Amino acid sequence: MDKAKQTIFICSAAGDDRRAQINRELVEKNAQALVDAVKEAGTAAGADKIYMYIPAAYEAAVEQVKPLAKDAGVEVVTGDDSPVCRDKTALISVFNGKIIRPYFEEDQETFRGYENVAKIIENAEDVLRKAQGTEDKKLLYVSGAVAAPAFVEAPYGASLSDIIAMAGGVKEGSTVKAVLVGGELGRFIAPDALDTTIMEKGSDIFTGGVEVLDQTYCGADFTKTLMESAREDSCGKCPLCREGTYQFHTIFNEITVGKAKVTDVALLKDLADTIGWGAFCQFGQHMVNIVKSAFEVMGDEIEGHIKRKKCEAGVCKSFMTLAILPDKCTGCEECADVCPEDAIEGKAGYIHMIDNDMCEKCGKCMEVCEEDAIVVVGSVKPKLPKRLTRVGRFR
């Protein structure tokens, strides 16, 4: 075996959770300290060349670091910010300006010019914390239904409840439905598991984001959004991940518009098991945990969209029906004036009526109604007039 002729040290700020850009925050707030830490770590490793890889999308971070890095003899390389870059072989590919793709280590060394290069790749937060002596802590972004969404520094060993409390706790009036930990590559945690879910070093879910979902979130719609992000981030090399993310997004979209079949639930679960077992890299292997945990934590709500044609959170427009309460309507015409579809019939002094076949559920009428007369109704609808009726005359 040939002895390595060169050693390169790469500090990577890529691979962030899309919903909590931890590395971006660290680089922007600690540019000088990070450059010094990278220089120190690379020198200690005996590296011939020292690099910092920063996603090009982090423009402020790149602008701050470049002059500092130049003075320190550290070269800055910019490129893709996809979570796929958590795979070190994928990072090396994009590091060299090639399309982002993970590879078998042996293939990369043989065919990509690294057979005589020793690569040392470290995450930006790990490098900085080692230099500062704060390796017992992790930066997280707590958002969603909390009193004060913020970046928080949590110690390893803290429970999910403790971490949420650092952001002011669950906001008043909210009931926790689930907590998303780790973004599109994480998983949903049930409300009764917040005290027993502990952040441990090396965790595959405590990568940055902690998002609290309350009763205003729709489990099906939220999962659809995560799968849309996963579909966009998939590098496309692995057929299971490429086609799987597409199918996940498509089926969850059908769930939110009332077109899904009862058999789709079993199909989604089977797909998740297959992709998790056979996907090439950790992106595909972890992405499926969103689907699995969504059904574990919010399964009844998601299946309710299919079996009962109902969105409990009132988020999915296809399941929404708007009504104007006769006892509250003053006939002011404000709602009719703002309706872009002319779906509201009425005139001054008369109770207004909504044609739900024409209504796009944009909510503009609800925003302008000072009497709170326009509401979202479910399967049990209030008694409504069938023709224009003067205010106060409907019985």
Side-chain angles (χ1 to χ4, degrees), residues 152-163:
V152 302
E153 196 173 53
Y156 288 109
S159 69
L160 197 48
S161 290
D162 295 333
I163 294 168

Side-chain angles (χ1 to χ4, degrees), residues 13 20 23 26 49 53 65-67 112 114 132 169 187 238 275 309 342 344 347:
N23 284 323
L26 280 171
K49 291 186 178 181
Y53 180 86
V65 168
K66 270 194 170 180
R112 301 217 164 234
Y114 283 96
Q132 295 178 336
R187 59 174 59 93
C238 168
I275 296 168
K309 302 300 179 184
D342 291 328
I344 300 178
K347 57 184 179 180

Side-chain angles (χ1 to χ4, degrees), residues 282-329:
Q282 61 178 330
F283 180 89
Q285 294 161 11
H286 292 174
M287 168 272 298
V288 299
N289 291 327
I290 288 294
V291 175
K292 290 181 177 181
S293 60
F295 280 106
E296 291 169 1
V297 179
M298 301 176 289
D300 288 343
E301 178 189 0
I302 295 172
E303 291 184 40
H305 287 67
I306 303 172
K307 297 176 181 178
R308 299 186 293 276
K309 302 300 179 184
K310 179 182 180 182
C311 176
E312 294 179 0
V315 172
C316 300
K317 292 182 178 180
S318 295
F319 301 103
M320 290 172 61
T321 299
L322 299 185
I324 300 177
L325 300 177
D327 58 337
K328 288 190 175 184
C329 180

Side-chain angles (χ1 to χ4, degrees), residues 150-340:
F151 285 98
V152 302
E153 196 173 53
Y156 288 109
S159 69
L160 197 48
S161 290
D162 295 333
I163 294 168
I164 293 171
M166 293 178 186
V170 178
K171 69 181 181 182
E172 187 177 352
S174 289
T175 301
V176 178
K177 175 182 293 186
V179 177
L180 173 66
V181 182
E184 68 192 65
L185 300 186
R187 59 174 59 93
F188 292 105
I189 305 298
D192 59 4
L194 302 186
D195 291 331
T196 57
T197 302
I198 308 300
M199 182 175 72
E200 298 177 352
K201 200 161 189 177
S203 168
D204 61 352
I205 61 171
F206 282 96
T207 55
V210 174
E211 189 165 358
V212 179
L213 281 62
D214 66 2
Q215 68 276 10
T216 65
Y217 286 74
C218 168
D221 182 74
F222 193 73
T223 304
K224 178 194 74 174
T225 299
L226 293 173
M227 287 301 100
E228 181 176 19
S229 181
R231 184 191 65 182
E232 293 172 352
D233 284 330
S234 174
C235 75
K237 175 178 180 176
C238 168
L240 283 173
C241 183
R242 181 181 67 241
E243 299 302 323
T245 52
Y246 174 82
Q247 291 297 331
F248 283 148
H249 177 257
T250 298
I251 296 174
F252 268 100
N253 183 64
E254 290 179 346
I255 290 174
T256 62
V257 298
K259 295 182 179 180
K261 303 181 290 292
V262 174
T263 53
D264 284 339
V265 174
L267 175 60
L268 285 167
K269 292 178 180 179
D270 287 344
L271 277 173
D273 288 338
T274 301
I275 296 168
W277 174 81
F280 185 84
C281 77
Q282 61 178 330
F283 180 89
Q285 294 161 11
H286 292 174
M287 168 272 298
V288 299
N289 291 327
I290 288 294
V291 175
K292 290 181 177 181
S293 60
F295 280 106
E296 291 169 1
V297 179
M298 301 176 289
D300 288 343
E301 178 189 0
I302 295 172
E303 291 184 40
H305 287 67
I306 303 172
K307 297 176 181 178
R308 299 186 293 276
K309 302 300 179 184
K310 179 182 180 182
C311 176
E312 294 179 0
V315 172
C316 300
K317 292 182 178 180
S318 295
F319 301 103
M320 290 172 61
T321 299
L322 299 185
I324 300 177
L325 300 177
D327 58 337
K328 288 190 175 184
C329 180
T330 61
C332 68
E333 297 186 290
E334 290 290 333
C335 58
D337 289 342
V338 299
C339 179

